[in-house]
Amino acid sequence: MARGEVKASWRKPAGTLAILLLILVWVVLVASFSAQIGALPILVQLAIYVVLGVVWIAPLKPLLRWMETGNWRLPRN
């Protein structure tokens, strides 16, 4: 390999597909409860949808770290 040349990794396409799959599963899961959530008062619905709109991001940090480094956790110092 020449100096400065970057070797392609399979982790980035695999991670991208995993992110898309995570989003798809999360959308289907939240949509399956939409009737029950829709029966609640509007401010409760707002709070639930705000929380659900943020919670799906939590598994992304280790997944993105894995895509970049190949490790799920930060190295111990």
Side-chain angles (χ1 to χ4, degrees):
M1 196 162 34
R3 185 174 182 191
E5 190 176 330
V6 178
K7 184 179 177 188
S9 172
W10 61 271
R11 288 189 311 263
K12 289 193 180 189
T16 302
L17 289 175
I19 290 170
L20 293 174
L21 182 63
L22 171 72
I23 292 170
L24 177 65
V25 168
W26 190 250
V27 166
V28 169
L29 182 69
V30 171
S32 69
F33 290 104
S34 65
Q36 292 88 350
I37 295 171
L40 299 171
I42 191 75
L43 291 177
V44 175
Q45 288 181 43
L46 175 66
I48 290 171
Y49 283 123
V50 166
V51 169
L52 292 175
V54 172
V55 167
W56 71 273
I57 298 171
L60 289 184
K61 187 171 184 176
L63 180 60
L64 290 170
R65 184 180 303 120
W66 173 78
M67 287 170 62
E68 287 295 321
T69 65
N71 295 319
W72 289 101
R73 296 186 180 130
L74 289 173
R76 292 184 184 190
N77 292 336

